[in-house]
Structure formats: C-alpha cells, structure tokens
Amino acid sequence: MKITQIHTEHYRIPLPVVLSDSTHGDISHFGLIVTRIGTSGGLEGMGYTYCVGDIGGSAILALIRDDLAPCLIGEDADRIERLWDRMWWHVHFVGRGGAASFALAALDIGLWDLRGKAREEPWWRLFGGHDPRVPVYAGGIDLQFSLDALLKQADDFQSQGFRAIKMKVGRDQLSEDVERVAAMRSHLGADFPLMADANMRWRVDEAIRAARGMAEYNLFWLEEPIIPDDVAGHARIAREGGLPIATGENFHTVYEFQQMIAHGAISFPEPDVATLGGVTPWLKVAHLAEACNLPITTHGVHDLQVHLLAAIPNSSYLEAHGFGLDRFIRNQLHIEEGAAIAPDRAGHGIEFDWDALQEHRA
C-alpha cells in the first residue's frame, strides 16, 4: 500500500466559551491542522494536531506541506517506524521537538489510522487491547471563573457522568488558590478525585509552598507546577511538596520523559499524542513508564487518546479536554459512570463533519 497523496488543511476553531489558565490567559479559539493520507489501495488515513490560540498553526502547516509530506510520497504506508524515523531526521536540525513534533504527529496519526483500517481493527485493540473502559476526568480551564461558577461547573461535570475533575490554580495570590481548592474539596467530598493544574506558573520555591498549602485537601496530583525544562526543580517539588506531580503536556520528545522519570521527578507522565510526535513515540513513553511502575495519564485530544489508554495496562485517567471537537465529530466520546469507552470502529474511528469545518478554514 503506497502513499500517493497527502492533503493538509488548517482551521481556526472558536471555543463556545472563553477559557483561561495561568500561562495563556484568555483563550477564545485554537488551531486545528488535519492531514489526509491517500494510498494506492484506496484507503485514506486521517491525522491531526492542534495549537492553543492558533499560535504556530501556519508554521506546522508549512512543515507538513513543504518538508515532511514529500518524504512520504511513494513510500510503503505500513512501515511506520521507518517513516517516523525518516521524518524525524529530515527536520532534525530545526526540530528535535517543538513545532516539528506537532507536524510529525499529524502524519503519524494518519499512518496508524491507515493501519487500523487496513486490518479492520480499532486502535485500542491494535495497540494492545487491555480494557476499553478508561477512567476519565473533566479538565476545567477555569482559572478566572468566580467561585460560584467553578462549583457550578463541577456540578455540571458530574451530571455529564464525570467522577473526577481537574481545576486550574496559579492565581495572583496563593491564598486564593488554596481557598478555591478547599471549596472544591468541601463541595465534592473527601474521596472524590480532584486534580489541580498550575500551567507552569511558579518558581520551584513557590511551587513547594503551594503544594504544601494544598496537600491537606488530598489532591490526586499537582500538574505542571513549573516550566517543563527544570528536571531538578520537579524532583525537589516531588520530594518536598507532599503531592504527586503530573507533567508532560509540554514535552515533545521521548527523551524529556526519560529524563524526568530517571530523576524521580514525576508521578504521572502525561504525553499528548498530538504534540509528542504521534502514536509511535507515545507508545514508547507508555512502555517506559510501565517499566518504571508509573501510570500514564493524557492531555488533550481525548477522542484519540482514549484508544491509547485502553490499550495499555498502566493507564490512569484520560483527560476530557476543554478544546473538544464535539461539534465537528460525528461520533463523540461516550462517557458513562466515570469511564470513557474506546470505540470499536476501525482505526481511530474519528469522522469529521467536513462541511462544518470548512467555514473555519484559516
């Protein structure tokens, strides 16, 4: 099955509600870059990636169109490890992560979609077939919500079937964060899984102080307390803060996860298949974490990553992200009693409503 053509489109997707966190401020839209890979056998694979506020979207589109897609034309679509390695080295000098990993992801996801369709198997079975029911949490992007709005959102999430919730922290005063975490804990009950995400807001000393201040409220994890580059800092926070640490959404290579795990700086590795370079490196991170007795969680693109967590034995929670594509996907993520159900459609099983997307072309 030879690759005969690759078509790439760039969309600018408005969010139904303006969201906020401590790094990006108010977020009104995001960029979506979609690849469609055609083959000599007539099958088509579809992959995609995204970017916050559409920053970098045109660069990712250009990398795919001008540099990576030409590497794949005429190649055997089933030799995915070879093709990923070829693309990685083709843009290595300007890549090694960053926008290049986003671009690789869109193509790699499309190639794995092709393999699933060719074998008539859903991803979760293709990659291991562990358990189609995956614990799921609602990822609130709610830093600037009033306390009343925050608690109402928590009620809405529970009415939708969620049995775990993540909130944002990183406000100007630590006392405000602690007050909001305390209110959520009181509202949800002592044993309800509650996570908090700082989006890299703090220095190491600030993060340790924050973790200690929130520790009594039994957070399931504290996510991204500091910048992703500071491995030693994460290790200090893990040792001294009193809370498990989740991080990885801003990692774009397997090597970053390897370093964080090797230094005992992470409790919940959090790869994002759409920004790490695709399924190929995501599975490597998952197996690395398993070898180190660590559970995997996810960030973003829940319609894709439900399959990945369902495939492996060391899965933790799937994040149902605020940047959902529900309005544009014909078969939406199914959630029941706190679990997301991996679908049985071949490949990743996602089918976009192309007509609805067209009005958002960048």
Side-chain angles (χ1 to χ4, degrees), residues 39-73:
T39 65
S40 57
L43 286 178
E44 180 180 271
M46 187 271 285
Y48 62 92
T49 187
Y50 69 96
C51 44
V52 177
D54 200 28
I55 305 300
S58 58
I60 296 166
L61 173 70
L63 271 167
I64 295 170
R65 182 191 61 215
D66 300 338
D67 298 312
L68 294 176
C71 291
L72 302 184
I73 300 299

Coordinates of all heavy atoms in Angstrom, one line a residue, residues 39-73:
T39 N -3.8 6.5 -0.5 CA -2.9 5.3 -0.8 C -3.3 4.7 -2.1 O -4.5 4.9 -2.6 CB -3.0 4.3 0.3 OG1 -4.3 3.7 0.3 CG2 -2.6 4.8 1.6
S40 N -2.5 3.9 -2.6 CA -2.7 3.1 -3.9 C -3.8 2.1 -3.7 O -4.5 1.7 -4.7 CB -1.4 2.4 -4.4 OG -0.9 1.6 -3.3
G41 N -4.1 1.7 -2.5 CA -5.1 0.7 -2.2 C -6.5 1.3 -2.1 O -7.5 0.6 -1.9
G42 N -6.6 2.7 -2.1 CA -7.8 3.3 -2.0 C -8.2 3.8 -0.6 O -9.2 4.5 -0.4
L43 N -7.5 3.3 0.4 CA -7.8 3.7 1.8 C -7.2 5.1 2.1 O -6.2 5.5 1.5 CB -7.2 2.7 2.8 CG -7.8 1.3 3.0 CD1 -7.1 0.5 3.9 CD2 -9.3 1.5 3.4
E44 N -7.9 5.8 3.0 CA -7.4 7.1 3.4 C -7.2 7.1 4.9 O -8.1 6.6 5.7 CB -8.4 8.2 3.0 CG -7.9 9.6 3.4 CD -8.9 10.6 3.0 OE1 -8.7 11.2 1.9 OE2 -9.8 11.0 3.8
G45 N -6.1 7.6 5.4 CA -5.9 7.8 6.8 C -5.9 9.2 7.2 O -5.5 10.1 6.4
M46 N -6.5 9.5 8.3 CA -6.6 10.9 8.8 C -5.9 11.1 10.1 O -6.1 10.4 11.0 CB -8.1 11.3 8.9 CG -8.4 12.8 9.2 SD -8.4 13.2 10.9 CE -10.0 12.5 11.4
G47 N -5.1 12.2 10.2 CA -4.5 12.6 11.4 C -4.6 14.1 11.7 O -5.0 14.8 10.7
Y48 N -4.4 14.5 12.9 CA -4.5 15.9 13.2 C -3.7 16.3 14.4 O -3.3 15.4 15.2 CB -5.9 16.3 13.4 CG -6.7 15.7 14.5 CD1 -6.8 16.3 15.7 CD2 -7.5 14.5 14.3 CE1 -7.5 15.8 16.8 CE2 -8.2 14.0 15.3 CZ -8.3 14.6 16.5 OH -9.0 14.0 17.5
T49 N -3.4 17.6 14.5 CA -2.8 18.1 15.7 C -3.5 19.5 16.0 O -4.4 19.9 15.2 CB -1.3 18.3 15.6 OG1 -0.7 18.7 16.8 CG2 -0.9 19.3 14.5
Y50 N -3.1 20.2 17.0 CA -3.7 21.4 17.4 C -2.7 22.4 18.0 O -1.6 22.0 18.4 CB -4.9 21.2 18.3 CG -4.4 20.7 19.7 CD1 -4.3 21.6 20.7 CD2 -4.0 19.4 19.9 CE1 -3.8 21.2 22.0 CE2 -3.6 19.0 21.1 CZ -3.4 19.9 22.2 OH -2.9 19.5 23.4
C51 N -3.1 23.6 18.2 CA -2.3 24.6 18.9 C -3.2 25.6 19.6 O -4.2 26.0 19.1 CB -1.2 25.2 18.0 SG -1.8 25.8 16.4
V52 N -2.8 26.1 20.8 CA -3.5 27.0 21.6 C -3.6 28.4 20.9 O -2.5 28.9 20.6 CB -3.0 27.1 23.0 CG1 -3.8 28.1 23.8 CG2 -3.0 25.7 23.7
G53 N -4.8 28.9 20.7 CA -4.9 30.2 20.1 C -4.4 30.3 18.7 O -4.2 31.4 18.1
D54 N -4.2 29.2 18.1 CA -3.7 29.0 16.7 C -2.2 29.6 16.6 O -1.8 29.9 15.5 CB -4.6 29.7 15.7 CG -4.4 29.2 14.3 OD1 -3.9 28.0 14.2 OD2 -4.6 29.9 13.3
I55 N -1.5 29.8 17.7 CA -0.1 30.3 17.6 C 0.7 29.1 17.0 O 0.8 28.0 17.6 CB 0.4 30.7 19.0 CG1 -0.5 31.8 19.6 CG2 1.8 31.2 18.8 CD1 -0.6 33.0 18.8
G56 N 1.4 29.3 15.9 CA 2.2 28.3 15.3 C 1.5 27.5 14.3 O 2.1 26.6 13.7
G57 N 0.2 27.7 14.1 CA -0.6 26.8 13.2 C -0.1 26.9 11.8 O 0.1 25.8 11.1
S58 N 0.2 28.1 11.3 CA 0.7 28.2 9.9 C 2.1 27.6 9.7 O 2.4 27.0 8.7 CB 0.7 29.7 9.5 OG 1.5 30.4 10.3
A59 N 2.9 27.6 10.8 CA 4.2 27.0 10.7 C 4.1 25.5 10.7 O 4.9 24.8 9.9 CB 5.1 27.4 12.0
I60 N 3.2 24.9 11.5 CA 3.0 23.5 11.4 C 2.5 23.0 10.1 O 3.0 22.0 9.5 CB 2.0 23.1 12.6 CG1 2.6 23.4 13.9 CG2 1.7 21.6 12.4 CD1 1.6 23.3 15.1
L61 N 1.6 23.8 9.5 CA 1.1 23.5 8.2 C 2.2 23.5 7.2 O 2.3 22.6 6.3 CB 0.0 24.5 7.8 CG -0.5 24.5 6.4 CD1 -1.4 23.2 6.2 CD2 -1.3 25.7 6.0
A62 N 3.1 24.5 7.2 CA 4.2 24.6 6.3 C 5.2 23.5 6.4 O 5.7 22.9 5.4 CB 4.9 26.0 6.4
L63 N 5.4 23.1 7.7 CA 6.4 21.9 7.9 C 5.8 20.7 7.3 O 6.6 19.9 6.6 CB 6.6 21.7 9.4 CG 7.7 22.5 10.0 CD1 7.6 22.4 11.6 CD2 9.1 21.9 9.6
I64 N 4.5 20.4 7.4 CA 3.9 19.2 6.8 C 4.0 19.3 5.3 O 4.4 18.4 4.6 CB 2.5 19.1 7.3 CG1 2.4 18.8 8.8 CG2 1.8 17.9 6.6 CD1 1.1 18.9 9.5
R65 N 3.4 20.4 4.8 CA 3.3 20.6 3.3 C 4.6 20.6 2.6 O 4.8 19.9 1.6 CB 2.5 21.8 3.1 CG 2.2 22.1 1.6 CD 1.6 23.5 1.4 NE 2.6 24.5 1.9 CZ 2.2 25.6 2.5 NH1 1.0 25.9 2.7 NH2 3.2 26.5 2.9
D66 N 5.6 21.4 3.1 CA 6.8 21.6 2.4 C 7.9 20.7 2.7 O 8.8 20.4 1.8 CB 7.3 23.1 2.6 CG 6.3 24.1 2.2 OD1 5.4 23.8 1.4 OD2 6.3 25.2 2.8
D67 N 8.0 20.1 3.9 CA 9.1 19.3 4.3 C 8.9 17.9 4.6 O 9.7 17.0 4.2 CB 9.8 20.0 5.6 CG 10.2 21.4 5.3 OD1 10.9 21.6 4.3 OD2 9.9 22.3 6.1
L68 N 7.8 17.6 5.3 CA 7.5 16.2 5.7 C 6.7 15.4 4.7 O 7.1 14.2 4.5 CB 6.8 16.2 7.1 CG 7.7 16.8 8.2 CD1 6.9 16.8 9.5 CD2 9.0 16.0 8.5
A69 N 5.6 15.9 4.2 CA 4.8 15.2 3.3 C 5.6 14.7 2.1 O 5.4 13.5 1.7 CB 3.6 16.0 2.8
P70 N 6.5 15.5 1.5 CA 7.3 15.0 0.4 C 8.1 13.7 0.7 O 8.4 12.9 -0.2 CB 8.2 16.2 0.0 CG 7.4 17.4 0.4 CD 6.7 16.9 1.7
C71 N 8.5 13.6 2.0 CA 9.3 12.4 2.4 C 8.5 11.1 2.3 O 9.1 10.0 2.3 CB 9.7 12.6 3.9 SG 11.0 13.8 4.1
L72 N 7.2 11.2 2.3 CA 6.3 10.0 2.4 C 5.7 9.6 1.1 O 5.4 8.4 1.0 CB 5.2 10.3 3.4 CG 5.5 10.7 4.8 CD1 4.3 10.9 5.7 CD2 6.5 9.8 5.5
I73 N 5.6 10.5 0.1 CA 5.0 10.1 -1.2 C 5.8 9.0 -1.8 O 7.0 9.0 -1.9 CB 5.0 11.3 -2.1 CG1 4.1 12.4 -1.5 CG2 4.4 10.9 -3.5 CD1 2.7 12.1 -1.2

